[in-house]
Amino acid sequence: DQIFFVPVTPEFVTKVIEKVRPDGLFAAFGGQTALNCAVQLHRSGVLQKYGVRVLGTQIESIVATEDREIFKAGVESIGEQCAKSACANTMEEARQVAKEIGFPVLVRAAFALGGLGSGFASNEEDLDVLLTRAFATSSQVIIDECLKGWKELEYEVVRDAKDNCLVVCNMENLDPMGVHTGESIVVAPSQTLNNFEYHHLRAVAIKVIRHFGIVGEANIQYALDPHSSQYRIVEVNARLSRSSALASKATGYPLAYVAAKLALGHDLVSLRNMVTRSTTACFEPSLDYCVVKMPRWDIDKFPTVERTLGTQMKSVGEVMSIARSFPEAMQKALRMVNEGSVGFDESWYLRARAGAAVSKDGNIEEELQKPGPLRMWAIAHAFQQGFTVETVHALTRIDRWFLGKLFSVHQARKRMESLGSLEKLTEAGPEFLRRMKQLGFCDRQIGKAIKDSDLAVMQLRAGWHIRPCVKQVDTLAAEFPAQTNYLYLTYVGEENDVVPLGNEQLAAHKAALYDTAFGSRLEESGFQLPDKMHARASPCQKANASPMWKGKASKQEPPPLELVPSQKPEVPAYIVLGSGCYRIGASVEFDWSGERVPAAGAVRTIRQTGHRALVINCNPETVSTDYDESDRLYFEELTLETVAEIVRFEQPEGTVVSVGGQTPNNLAPKLDQLGIRILGTAAANIDRAEDRSKFSAMCDELGIDQPEWSQFVRLEEATDFARLVGYPVLVRPSYVLSGAAMRVIDDEQQLKGFLGTAAVVEQEFPVVISKYVQGAREIEFDGIGRNGQVINYAISEHVEDAGTHSGDATLLLPAQRLHLETHRRVMHIASQLCKALNISGPFNVQFMALEDSCFSMRSVKVIECNVRASRTVPFVSKTFNVNFIEQATRVMLGQEVSKQKVYAYDFEFVACKAPMFSFLRLSGADPHLGVEMQSTGEVACFGHNAHEAFLKSLIASGVQISKIFEPCGVLLALNPKDKAGVAKYLPLLDEMGFKIFATHGTASFLEASKPQRNANNSAICVTPLAKSADGVVSAITEKTVKLVICTPSSRDSAGQTPGYKIRRKALETG
């Protein structure tokens, strides 16, 4: 009903409570941030003062599960055991506790999210490093005994106020203890527990949850000794967590929905089972399939980071696969998490190890011993090198059952490689190929093994009618018929569980959505709403009923995906491709575009207009994979093969690729070649925008200014261009997200080195080199096109100069500092591009403006154009209160949409979007920005002016503003280009009471420039610190300085420069 864009801190939440006077508060739905805030509001008396009830689990129970000492006492009082542990509030206390428990120990920050500030200490030196980091984020640390090598298990438990209690899902980590559960590969249901272990741990989970009085949902984690029946309770999360989302998607049991109902006073017996729509929600799901969750890491974006995985989360997203066996599910997950991976195969390890492997010298034993982002592919490499299951188990401590299944996949791949050709595969027969598909091999993987193309394998499958079955997620053990629209593909089966959506007679609860979910059916201004259409029932369909192609096609030209006329759908249905795995550059903002928004996202707009919507996605964290948000959800890979198979079965009217970010956009040309209809902008025009060379050539033809550029094939062409325009230059691949493999080059040696890396050499599309322009202002244009005409747009500006990736930049909307002529030029160029690309749907153009260039016509230059929804679309839509995605979807559906101009000068507020970074979690990472994106999230706040909005956004992103404005010692460590610019602000810092310190070089410059106080023109005192980096670091550690302003002198510190050491120490000491 109301949304407040404010930081989730006690100060701001208190103001909201004062204003709206709510009756109750949910503490368990916003993760650790919300939980900590609710606890502070309770302790400060705010909730009692305003009569706000905490709904669901009470604060006392929350504190009992979060405070380690209280939790341990509670667990032991019911006869259970935790790991040996103790809390400490000072460094000295912590050292004493560690000695009592005995090294190695686990150090954790209390009340922390994702294991922030945690790690294993083998000795006192390691301990001091971890304690410094932990105390920088929390006032209390927890020291635990080390349980490395034990199995890690989780149970998701639901309990109501009437003490009805059930276990929704149990999950087993493939990685043993020692790796944070958010970093682990997770399998559901557990695969290696015996019957006694499973049921005993289930009974303990229910006993513990009842003891702590939790109402709603909770997660309990265990460590289980693989050599005995000993176990320890690791922790209980009395809130919805990352694991809750996984368990909910793995079982189809809507944990958040049920937890909210229970918190409002309902009980499990009276709530309806969302899978049957007829029985009670008081049931424990029974799974006839296997689920694998795989985390994603973007460690290769941080060259200096510590690559070993541990107790502190470094992953930025995760995928979930569903299949009928563990090998099939694992292979799917490995492809979902990295589009470059074909499955359980050593090739991805060999390709990616330079940027992400734990071992810097390719030592496979070290790679297996120390868990890292490439561990699964490294296991495939080890098997290829002749390692046995027993050897790999000894190195990794991964259960032999899992390794045995993976080894069978490896043997199957070797069998295919021994065939060596498509002809031999054909001779092996259809049953052999079907068995390979049942083990999870994709067409691309099979083609690679037999040295042929994926399209050749796809064609062979089509001829043999080897098709995947469409299966429902059914958790009812055949006791009741499942009514869910939650689907997956598998080759282990003979019949489809459903008919194509366009031919399905909707159940009453689904049909009602079209009448009630979106309010009245009154015609909206500018929109033509079609009448609702009804479908007739259709008989069940065999999985292999219709061939994919008619006739034979060549390898060079992919055959069209034809629909059988008799199977044409009676009700128009459309597929929306989701964003896939969250990663740096594609997070929840693309989920917003694809699915759920306050008014309507792409899926809701399709349904609102009387059509049916299908979603394909593989991300358990996103709203778009809530199966009740669409008419049909396929929890599947976003690959050409999988999308083509779903299109063949469903026969939709069209496919939307422009609202899920870069992943579906990259599929557009290949889907178009298969004859799949792309809604909105034509695939050929998407290619013209994404292909750097084609786009730059088009801009030249249109007379649109851009930095000088050249496409190159040979190294000499790149070096000749760089010499001609002068360094620095920018190397830019095509079809990339978040500036991946993009690099600013300062000299010829760097250019030669970078052009030899796999990031450039293995590019499928052209690589362009351009002049790197410095000192320009960056501008974003988000628009909606209709047949090449702009019908709505927004122009925002970056606070930072061009050169900081747009995803890492701070944005202001409406733009505050741009000249009117700049606005006009941006609008004119964007309109030119929209017309030239004949855009129908969302698009984003990035500009740089050299506003000091006498406002010449050529002062505005184009950086790039993305013919898809950008990460700024949610920010723009929420600021202007105009749903850009709804408009874009209606355009793509072919409806008439009237122009809706927004006049930026009429706004009485300013919105600011600020990035969030995870440098503290990424041990060794250099907190330093550039052209490749590094932020892992974002926040947005509103203010009466730019300064207020900016400060609110900083607070929301976790910056401790009080430290900045509190007079203290401030350290200046500046690169030569920045010294003069910062010097003019010294009188202001002095006036505010800051004591100014500087590194040796910066101090020398400032003393020579003789800065004067504003009040009496006396000299400002600048205290130089020791010449060595160690001396400067000591000043930070000892809190002589509490604020550091450090600008890098090189784009890549390699973890060696004094500036890097200063930045890193400042970060770690808070």
Side-chain angles (χ1 to χ4, degrees), residues 55-87:
L55 302 176
T57 304
Q58 296 302 296
I59 295 294
E60 291 77 9
S61 297
I62 292 171
V63 172
T65 57
E66 292 287 327
D67 187 298
R68 197 64 191 172
E69 291 179 344
I70 300 174
F71 176 70
K72 184 181 177 185
V75 167
E76 290 176 351
S77 70
I78 55 174
E80 298 300 334
Q81 220 177 343
C82 290
K84 293 178 185 175
S85 68
C87 298

Side-chain angles (χ1 to χ4, degrees), residues 770-976:
S770 61
K771 174 64 181 171
Y772 179 67
V773 179
Q774 302 181 81
R777 183 165 294 163
E778 190 160 343
I779 302 160
E780 299 244 7
F781 180 99
D782 285 287
I784 306 296
R786 184 186 62 209
N787 300 324
Q789 300 291 318
V790 178
I791 63 170
N792 202 354
Y793 71 93
I795 297 174
S796 53
E797 68 167 318
H798 293 196
V799 172
E800 298 83 359
D801 283 347
T804 297
H805 189 279
S806 60
D808 289 345
T810 309
L811 263 67
L812 294 175
L813 182 69
Q816 299 293 295
R817 303 172 296 171
L818 300 186
H819 296 293
L820 188 59
E821 172 63 15
T822 302
H823 265 277
R824 194 186 71 78
R825 288 290 299 158
V826 165
M827 182 64 205
H828 176 69
I829 294 171
S831 298
Q832 280 183 283
L833 292 172
C834 183
K835 184 176 181 181
L837 295 168
N838 195 28
I839 294 173
S840 287
F843 71 105
N844 166 272
V845 188
Q846 293 172 28
F847 298 89
M848 61 174 69
L850 296 162
E851 294 195 329
D852 294 333
S853 305
C854 302
F855 314 124
S856 72
M857 294 290 284
R858 304 186 71 77
S859 65
V860 176
K861 299 177 185 288
V862 168
I863 300 173
E864 67 178 8
C865 175
N866 295 304
V867 187
R868 56 171 170 81
S870 71
R871 73 178 57 81
T872 48
V873 166
F875 173 61
V876 165
S877 296
K878 291 173 182 180
T879 300
F880 285 175
N881 198 25
V882 174
N883 197 310
F884 275 47
I885 291 300
E886 179 181 5
Q887 291 182 347
T889 305
R890 291 180 184 274
V891 166
M892 290 187 282
L893 290 173
Q895 298 178 10
E896 286 296 319
V897 181
S898 60
K899 285 190 175 183
Q900 291 191 0
K901 288 189 175 180
V902 176
Y903 296 96
Y905 295 105
D906 292 342
F907 280 79
E908 296 181 351
F909 62 85
V910 177
C912 178
K913 179 173 82 74
M916 291 190 68
F917 300 95
S918 299
F919 291 124
L920 186 56
R921 294 181 184 279
L922 300 169
S923 301
D926 189 351
H928 153 231
L929 305 181
V931 294
E932 188 165 359
M933 188 172 164
Q934 299 187 67
S935 60
T936 52
E938 61 187 34
V939 296
C941 290
F942 298 90
H944 291 297
N945 54 48
H947 295 102
E948 182 183 327
F950 178 71
L951 285 175
K952 279 184 179 177
S953 294
L954 285 185
I955 294 169
S957 68
V959 175
Q960 298 181 42
I961 293 292
S962 58
K963 288 188 177 181
I964 296 176
F965 291 112
E966 189 178 285
C968 61
V970 57
L971 170 65
L972 304 179
L974 307 173
N975 114 26

